[in-house]
Amino acid sequence: MQLALATWHEVEDYLRRQRGCIVPIGSVEQHGPNGLIGTDHLDAEFVAKGVGDSIGCMVAPTLAYGMSQHHLGFAGSATLRPSTLILVVRDVVLSLARHGFERFFFINGHGGNVATVTAAFDEIYAETSLGADRPPVKCRMTFWSSGPRAKQLAEQFYGDSNGSHATAAEVSLSQFYQPGAIKHAQMSPKVAPKSGGFFEAADYRSRFPDGRIGSDPSLSSPEHGEQLYRAAVEDMVEAYRAFLDY
Ligand code: NI
């Protein structure tokens, strides 16, 4: 069930039966020579909608923009400052909590969001702990690609060449749901340099000139993407249910 396609009466009905919802979150940032700028938020959204279709849970509209300051050296990338993203996450969670949602399961597509969104969750908990007059909520964030089935497939398809940014797996998933936007590009070296860390945008670009980190997304295919999708939906159904029971 998608929040954006429901009426307020339908949301009230839903809340009489269950109190959980899924929030897809990603980024708007470069994904190497053949990856789409929207990869992170589109991947997270596609998997989240798959979970919603599979078990009928509520899927909120995607938080498309994320914390991507390190990608701003590449055309098309856009970021929220960490302080902005904390407020966005807080305001969305507390708005939905006002109506009775209690469990917020964020399906994430972007590593750069982790520290900031974790800080946002702590801001929300801190308000309750410090005495805010509202029922407590519980939040958790998980990468769509981090479950056992999807991880095993990525390992089987790409081994060490999956990488950590513009990964072969995330590009494959986007090729499955957007076959009309598949790009072909020469990449050199074939496997991008691995990360020892980075700082601001110019530093990132000097270390990773074509945007990739540790990956060979020339191995990507829509057929892999379809298998990764099915695996990720199963993984996230399991993870969401475990979160509801926690
Ligand atoms: Ni990504």
Side-chain angles (χ1 to χ4, degrees), residues 24-116:
I25 184 167
S27 70
V28 176
E29 69 187 34
Q30 68 81 19
H31 271 76
N34 71 339
L36 311 181
I37 299 283
T39 300
D40 286 346
H41 75 265
L42 295 172
D43 281 4
E45 177 173 285
F46 190 60
V47 171
K49 286 179 175 171
V51 174
D53 291 345
S54 164
I55 60 173
C57 61
M58 188 68 80
V59 179
T62 303
L63 301 180
Y65 291 90
M67 212 304 287
S68 305
Q69 66 78 17
H70 46 296
H71 292 289
L72 289 182
F74 298 87
S77 301
T79 192
L80 301 179
R81 292 163 194 267
S83 51
T84 309
L85 182 55
I86 287 172
L87 293 178
V88 169
V89 168
R90 174 185 176 278
D91 287 357
V92 169
V93 166
L94 294 183
S95 299
L96 295 173
R98 187 182 192 285
H99 309 303
F101 286 97
E102 291 170 352
R103 302 271 181 154
F104 297 85
F105 188 72
F106 284 63
I107 294 184
N108 183 27
H110 175 48
N113 288 338
V114 172
T116 302

Side-chain angles (χ1 to χ4, degrees), residues 147-213:
R149 297 168 187 82
K151 266 168 75 173
Q152 194 267 326
L153 273 183
E155 173 65 30
Q156 175 193 322
F157 293 151
Y158 316 117
D160 272 353
S161 303
N162 191 38
S164 54
H165 180 66
T167 68
E170 66 180 340
V171 172
S172 286
L173 182 58
S174 72
Q175 291 182 344
F176 170 53
Y177 59 73
Q178 284 291 352
I182 294 176
K183 320 286 181 178
H184 301 281
Q186 293 295 324
M187 288 182 241
S188 175
K190 184 168 164 51
V191 181
K194 298 213 181 307
S195 178
F198 47 78
F199 302 94
E200 27 57 69
D203 175 78
Y204 181 106
R205 184 154 177 165
S206 72
R207 295 175 194 278
F208 310 104
D210 74 3
R212 298 173 296 151
I213 302 178

